Amino acid sequence: MPAAGPLAGVLVVALEQAVSAPMCTRTLADFGARVIKVENPVGGDFARHYDDVVAGQAAHFVWVNRGKESVTLDLKSERGLQILHELLARADVLVSNLAPGASARLGLSPAALAERYPRLIALEIDGFGAGGPLSHKRAYDLLVQAESGVCAVTGRPGEPAKPGPAVADVTTGLYAALSILATLCGRYRDTGPAGGAIGLSLFDTMAEMMGYHLNYTRHSGVEQQPLGMSSPAVAPYGAYATGDGQTVVLGTTNDREWQRLAREILGRADLAEDPRFGTNSDRVRNRRDLDEAIGAWCAGHTLAEVQKAADDAGIGNSRYNTTTDVLGHPQLAARDRWRDIDSPSGPIPALLPPAVIDGFEPPMGAVPGLGEHTDSVLRELGRTPSEIADLRAAKVIGPEYTAPVAERNRP
C-alpha cells in the first residue's frame, strides 16, 4: 500500500455542512484523498460557529474537517457556479448534504450530474430519502433519532433520551464513505459503473441501526423499554455501583458465562442452579432479581476487586468513565493514539482514525480556515491574480484569507 494512502490521487469536492457529510469526507481524507470543501463566502459551514471552545474554533468543526482545503464560492452567482463545475470536471467524487431541494435548484441533481460528468460519483445525504411524505423536511440528528425510534429505546422508561454522540450523522457519514469506496473499487476493477448517483438518508440509516428492536417488536408484538446502561436482549448485562464509589459494567453473552459469573465471582451456586436464570430468556424475564444479587455483591467490593474477579473468570467488564477520564485513558496513551494537528489557532490534539493499516500513517491534515485555499485552487484552475482579484471584488469568493495569530496554548 503506498505511503500516500490508498485513496491518493482521488479528488473529492464537498458541498457540506454540520456533521454527516463532513464525517464522510474526513474519512476519505484520512485514507489519502484530496478533499476540497466549498463554503459560502459569508460564514462558511455553519458548524464553524457552534461554539469557540477549541482555541476559538468549534469542537464539532475541528473534529470532522481536518485534512481538507477550504474554498469560498457564491454558488448563487453564475461565475461561482462555473468555478464549481470546473472543479467537478476534475473530480472523482462529489459529496453534498444541502437543504432539501437545494442541489436541484443549483442544477446539481443526480440526473444532471450523470449526464454532464459520467465518471463522477455524486453522493447526496438527506434527511428522509426521496419519494416519501417526509422528504421535504429538514432533518437534524435529534429529529431523526426521535423519528426513527432510537430515542424510545434510549434512557429509562418514561424518560426517553437522545444518545450523546450524533449517531445519526456519524453513522450516515460512515455509510456514505463506505458506499463511495465500494463504487471506486468497482470502477477500478471494472465490475461496476464508473460513476453515478448515490443517495443516503439519515432516517434510513437509523432504521437500519434499529434492526434488532424492529425485528423483536414485529415478531413478538412487544415494544422493549429502555434500560439505561443495560440491554433488553441479554442479562446480566449492566452497570453496578461498587463499594468505593465507582461504577463497574459487567456483561455476559451466553449461559456458560452466566454460570462462571454466578459460581466463580458471586460464589452463588444456588443462583447458577436456579431455574429462573437457566437460559438467557429466563434471565431477561427475571432481570430485576438478578441485578439485585449482582448489585449487592459489587457494593461489597472495590472496583479493582470486581474487575480482577471478572478478568480471572473470563467475564467481560469495564469501568464507567466520564469524558475527562477518556481524555487521559491509559489505553489511548499506551497505544499512542493522539496526534497534534495544525489549525488556524495553532496545534490541537486529535485522535487517529480507528483503522490501523499496516505501513500507512494517516495524514492527519490541518483544519482549514474559511477560504484558506481559495486562491491556490483558483490558480490551479488557471485564474490569474487579476482575475482572482476581480472575483473577490464581485464577492464571488470571500475576502483574501489571512491567518490569525496562532494561539499556542494547547488543551
Side-chain angles (χ1 to χ4, degrees):
M1 183 176 298
L7 294 184
V10 172
L11 175 59
V12 179
V13 175
L15 301 178
E16 60 182 22
Q17 53 199 0
V19 175
S20 59
M23 174 57 78
C24 169
T25 56
R26 196 212 77 180
T27 301
L28 301 177
D30 285 339
F31 287 126
R34 181 186 182 190
V35 177
I36 297 178
K37 181 182 179 80
V38 177
E39 301 188 66
N40 190 318
V42 182
D45 182 342
F46 55 71
R48 286 183 178 274
H49 312 291
Y50 279 167
D51 54 59
D52 59 1
V53 300
V54 186
Q57 303 165 99
H60 273 97
F61 188 85
V62 300
W63 168 42
V64 292
N65 284 287
R66 67 165 181 255
K68 304 178 186 180
E69 301 171 42
S70 172
V71 171
T72 53
L73 286 177
D74 178 6
L75 297 182
K76 294 181 179 179
S77 72
E78 182 178 340
R79 296 167 75 186
L81 200 55
Q82 176 188 341
I83 293 170
L84 174 65
H85 279 289
E86 291 178 39
L87 288 172
L88 295 180
R90 300 181 176 205
D92 297 285
V93 180
L94 169 66
V95 176
S96 63
N97 68 330
L98 304 180
S103 294
R105 289 192 295 273
L106 291 170
L108 302 175
S109 67
L113 289 171
E115 181 177 355
R116 189 165 181 175
Y117 308 108
R119 284 185 56 81
L120 180 69
I121 299 169
L123 184 144
E124 184 167 21
I125 296 172
D126 62 18
F128 294 99
L134 303 183
S135 298
H136 66 287
K137 294 176 69 71
R138 288 182 177 270
Y140 306 132
D141 184 86
L142 169 61
L143 306 182
V144 172
Q145 290 200 40
E147 192 77 37
S148 62
V150 172
C151 294
V153 297
T154 308
R156 294 189 177 278
E159 299 177 1
K162 170 194 173 298
V167 293
D169 283 335
V170 171
T171 309
T172 304
L174 294 177
Y175 262 107
L178 176 63
S179 301
I180 290 167
L181 293 174
T183 307
L184 286 171
C185 183
R187 171 194 293 179
Y188 295 136
R189 298 181 65 182
D190 293 326
T191 58
I198 302 174
L200 273 171
S201 77
L202 276 70
F203 183 76
D204 288 347
T205 302
M206 284 297 93
E208 169 66 17
M209 292 298 100
M210 288 288 290
Y212 159 73
H213 297 88
L214 296 177
N215 272 340
Y216 193 96
T217 299
R218 179 185 293 276
H219 297 285
S220 71
V222 175
E223 290 199 357
Q224 293 175 322
Q225 297 302 299
L227 295 170
M229 286 183 62
S230 188
S231 166
V234 184
Y237 196 99
Y240 307 93
T242 62
D244 56 348
Q246 302 290 319
T247 299
V248 69
V249 180
L250 297 173
T252 62
T253 58
N254 56 59
D255 295 341
R256 296 185 305 278
E257 290 183 355
W258 156 241
Q259 289 291 319
R260 293 202 303 274
L261 189 153
R263 296 177 187 275
E264 299 177 30
I265 297 179
L266 304 183
R268 295 285 303 273
D270 60 313
L271 292 180
E273 297 167 4
D274 192 324
R276 292 179 301 159
F277 310 130
T279 68
N280 182 65
S281 295
D282 296 327
R283 294 191 294 276
V284 168
R285 281 192 295 270
N286 296 286
R287 180 192 307 276
R288 180 174 298 178
D289 293 340
L290 200 58
D291 282 344
E292 285 180 1
I294 298 171
W297 184 87
C298 290
H301 296 78
T302 66
L303 174 70
E305 290 169 343
V306 176
Q307 290 199 279
K308 182 179 187 308
D311 286 340
D312 290 346
I315 298 300
N317 65 92
S318 68
R319 176 193 181 209
Y320 165 79
N321 285 320
T322 67
T323 52
T324 300
D325 294 329
V326 177
L327 286 173
H329 202 293
Q331 186 73 4
L332 296 175
R335 297 172 59 245
D336 193 26
R337 297 295 296 165
W338 291 99
R339 295 289 185 276
D340 276 353
I341 62 173
D342 288 332
S343 81
S345 297
I348 56 174
L351 281 169
L352 285 166
V356 179
I357 303 176
D358 189 33
F360 170 60
E361 175 76 10
M364 302 297 284
V367 177
L370 178 59
E372 180 176 351
H373 304 90
T374 302
D375 289 26
S376 61
V377 169
L378 288 175
R379 287 194 296 269
E380 283 186 52
L381 296 176
R383 299 302 196 278
T384 65
S386 61
E387 289 173 321
I388 294 173
D390 180 56
L391 289 168
R392 184 157 283 126
K395 297 185 178 180
V396 175
I397 60 177
E400 185 173 2
Y401 179 76
T402 303
V405 177
E407 297 177 14
R408 298 296 178 179
N409 297 326
R410 302 184 187 184

